[in-house]
């Protein structure tokens, strides 16, 4: 795991966005195209802001997959992740080769199968992900299913996850947050050739510590990233504040 600790969320996003762009350009150079996964949530704000500014990405050679979406939430709702990606990414870059958003308003099992068939044919080069306050990766809340071979699954959201969405003001109260989502599975995320994980904010400090310094366990879903061969974890001072082994994470962090 490559851990990069920035001074603040802005700097984290700039570094994570730049790294994502380097990896996308590299995939296009090597294969003529790139397959990417985009996440949403507040953790991706600054990263996506930087990614859309990056020059020299042939977006018409990029196929996008979507990490997770609530079941039953209309695209007009401010918490809709399709809406989020449209406003913060798709409307900001030239047309992509292909866009595979998750429709949470149709038959969820059929939608998982449809997207699963597409992603099986499209090995992912770069996945942008975040870590939730409860340590989740996508909507794989603890205890996460580390075993399923399905690419997309129907996930139940736990109370901590639903409360986080209210605290971030995506919803007015917890009863309004859907109880289920379509989520990319942990195994599918781990198949990505490169992973860029953006985790700002003091609220994530405990989840970051558990993910990096506890043993890999489905009780800390993002701890699985320790097993990935090319994962870049972008933190900032506050989200990294509980780490006790910073010196083990590389040259770049000596001054933090
Ligand atoms: C969220 C989103 C994911 C994101 C992850 C962490 O709930 N559904 O796409 O990667 O969980 O992000 P955040 O804590 O910013 O919501």
């Amino acid at each position: 795991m490559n851990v990069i600790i920035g001074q603040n969320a802005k700097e984290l996003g700039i570094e994570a966005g730049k790294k994502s762009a380097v990896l996308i350009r590299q995939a296009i150079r090597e294969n003529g195209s790139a397959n990417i996964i985009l996440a949403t949530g507040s953790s991706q704000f600054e990263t996506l802001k930087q990614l859309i500014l990056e020059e020299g990405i042939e977006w018409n050679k990029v196929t996008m997959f979507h990490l997770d979406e609530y079941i039953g939430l209309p695209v007009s709702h401010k918490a809709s992740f399709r809406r989020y990606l449209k406003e913060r990414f798709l409307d900001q870059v030239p047309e992509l080769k292909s866009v595979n958003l998750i429709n949470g308003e149709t038959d969820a099992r059929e939608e998982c199968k449809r997207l699963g068939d597409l992603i099986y044919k499209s090995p992912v080069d770069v996945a942008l992900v975040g870590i939730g306050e409860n340590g989740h990766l996508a909507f794989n809340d603890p205890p996460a299913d580390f075993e399923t071979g399905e690419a997309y699954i129907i996930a139940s959201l736990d109370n901590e996850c639903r409360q986080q969405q209210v605290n971030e003001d995506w919803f007015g109260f917890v009863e309004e947050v859907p109880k289920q989502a379509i989520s990319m599975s942990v195994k599918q995320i781990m198949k990505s050739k490169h992973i860029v994980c953006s985790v700002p904010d003091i609220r994530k400090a405990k989840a970051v510590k558990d993910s990096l310094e506890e043993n890999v366990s489905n009780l800390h879903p993002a701890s699985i990233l320790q097993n990935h061969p090319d994962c870049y974890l972008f933190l900032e001072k506050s989200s990294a504040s509980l780490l006790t082994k910073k010196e083990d994470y590389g040259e770049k962090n000596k001054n933090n």
Side-chain angles (χ1 to χ4, degrees), residues 166-233:
V166 176
N167 298 345
E168 291 181 2
D169 207 27
W170 300 105
F171 296 91
F173 39 92
V174 81
E175 293 74 19
E176 206 192 317
V177 184
K179 291 192 170 133
Q180 289 189 311
I182 294 177
S183 178
M184 194 173 286
S185 67
V186 170
K187 266 197 175 165
Q188 182 63 43
I189 295 168
M190 289 293 284
K191 282 185 192 169
S192 311
K193 193 166 172 192
H194 311 282
I195 295 181
V196 175
C197 185
S198 301
V199 194
D201 214 287
I202 185 78
R203 295 177 292 126
K204 304 289 179 71
K206 172 80 168 62
V208 165
K209 179 176 166 47
D210 290 343
S211 302
L212 274 178
E213 297 186 353
E214 291 293 327
N215 291 332
V216 174
S217 153
N218 68 347
L219 298 177
H220 308 300
S223 63
I224 193 93
L225 295 174
Q226 293 175 33
N227 292 343
H228 193 277
D230 199 43
C231 177
Y232 300 84
L233 177 60

Side-chain angles (χ1 to χ4, degrees), residues 39-43 67-68 81 129-132 136 138-139 164-165 204:
T40 52
S42 60
S43 58
L67 190 69
D68 50 9
F81 292 142
V129 301
I131 300 176
H136 73 193
F139 268 137
Q164 180 188 334
Q165 311 306 327
K204 304 289 179 71

Side-chain angles (χ1 to χ4, degrees), residues 20 24 34-40 44 47-48 51 59 62-68 85 89 96 100 102 119 122-130 138 151-152 183-197 228:
S20 306
I24 294 170
N35 300 322
I36 66 170
I37 297 169
L38 292 189
T40 52
Q44 305 301 311
T47 302
L48 290 180
L51 183 58
W59 289 108
V62 173
T63 293
M64 190 206 98
F65 289 92
H66 177 183
L67 190 69
D68 50 9
L85 287 175
F89 179 71
L96 269 57
N100 301 297
I102 302 171
I119 207 165
S122 314
V124 171
D125 299 293
V126 190
L128 275 66
V129 301
Y152 283 89
S183 178
M184 194 173 286
S185 67
V186 170
K187 266 197 175 165
Q188 182 63 43
I189 295 168
M190 289 293 284
K191 282 185 192 169
S192 311
K193 193 166 172 192
H194 311 282
I195 295 181
V196 175
C197 185
H228 193 277

Side-chain angles (χ1 to χ4, degrees), residues 2-245:
N2 305 284
V3 182
I4 303 97
I5 305 175
Q7 294 297 316
N8 51 45
K10 180 83 201 159
E11 194 180 296
L12 176 163
I14 291 173
E15 294 300 318
K18 281 183 188 295
K19 183 69 191 177
S20 306
V22 165
L23 295 169
I24 294 170
R25 287 190 209 99
Q26 181 187 315
I28 294 174
R29 221 172 29 247
E30 288 171 3
N31 314 319
S33 62
N35 300 322
I36 66 170
I37 297 169
L38 292 189
T40 52
S42 60
S43 58
Q44 305 301 311
F45 285 162
E46 299 297 336
T47 302
L48 290 180
K49 253 189 214 166
Q50 181 63 34
L51 183 58
I52 61 177
L53 292 177
E54 287 291 317
E55 289 176 2
I57 299 179
E58 295 169 279
W59 289 108
N60 61 349
K61 297 182 177 169
V62 173
T63 293
M64 190 206 98
F65 289 92
H66 177 183
L67 190 69
D68 50 9
E69 175 63 294
Y70 297 105
I71 291 179
L73 195 72
V75 72
S76 55
H77 194 288
K78 76 169 177 183
S80 158
F81 292 142
R82 280 167 293 168
R83 174 173 170 175
Y84 177 116
L85 287 175
K86 188 173 177 322
E87 291 178 353
R88 294 175 186 272
F89 179 71
L90 295 168
D91 288 350
Q92 313 291 334
V93 293
E95 197 174 339
L96 269 57
K97 179 177 172 192
S98 173
V99 174
N100 301 297
L101 292 170
I102 302 171
N103 181 358
E105 293 181 273
T106 185
D107 182 286
R109 279 185 202 290
E110 287 293 319
E111 185 65 353
C112 289
K113 181 166 178 343
R114 180 184 76 81
L115 292 162
D117 290 346
L118 287 169
I119 207 165
Y120 285 138
K121 288 183 243 159
S122 314
V124 171
D125 299 293
V126 190
L128 275 66
V129 301
I131 300 176
E133 288 177 31
N134 66 357
H136 73 193
L137 251 195
F139 268 137
N140 299 289
D141 289 340
D145 186 342
F146 277 5
E147 301 307 322
T148 181
E150 301 295 320
Y152 283 89
I153 59 173
I154 297 175
S156 295
L157 310 190
D158 71 14
N159 289 339
E160 190 178 351
C161 169
R162 292 171 75 221
Q163 188 60 49
Q164 180 188 334
Q165 311 306 327
V166 176
N167 298 345
E168 291 181 2
D169 207 27
W170 300 105
F171 296 91
F173 39 92
V174 81
E175 293 74 19
E176 206 192 317
V177 184
K179 291 192 170 133
Q180 289 189 311
I182 294 177
S183 178
M184 194 173 286
S185 67
V186 170
K187 266 197 175 165
Q188 182 63 43
I189 295 168
M190 289 293 284
K191 282 185 192 169
S192 311
K193 193 166 172 192
H194 311 282
I195 295 181
V196 175
C197 185
S198 301
V199 194
D201 214 287
I202 185 78
R203 295 177 292 126
K204 304 289 179 71
K206 172 80 168 62
V208 165
K209 179 176 166 47
D210 290 343
S211 302
L212 274 178
E213 297 186 353
E214 291 293 327
N215 291 332
V216 174
S217 153
N218 68 347
L219 298 177
H220 308 300
S223 63
I224 193 93
L225 295 174
Q226 293 175 33
N227 292 343
H228 193 277
D230 199 43
C231 177
Y232 300 84
L233 177 60
F234 289 90
L235 306 173
E236 43 73 40
K237 281 192 161 177
S238 70
S239 61
S241 59
L242 294 180
L243 294 177
T244 56
K245 304 176 192 162

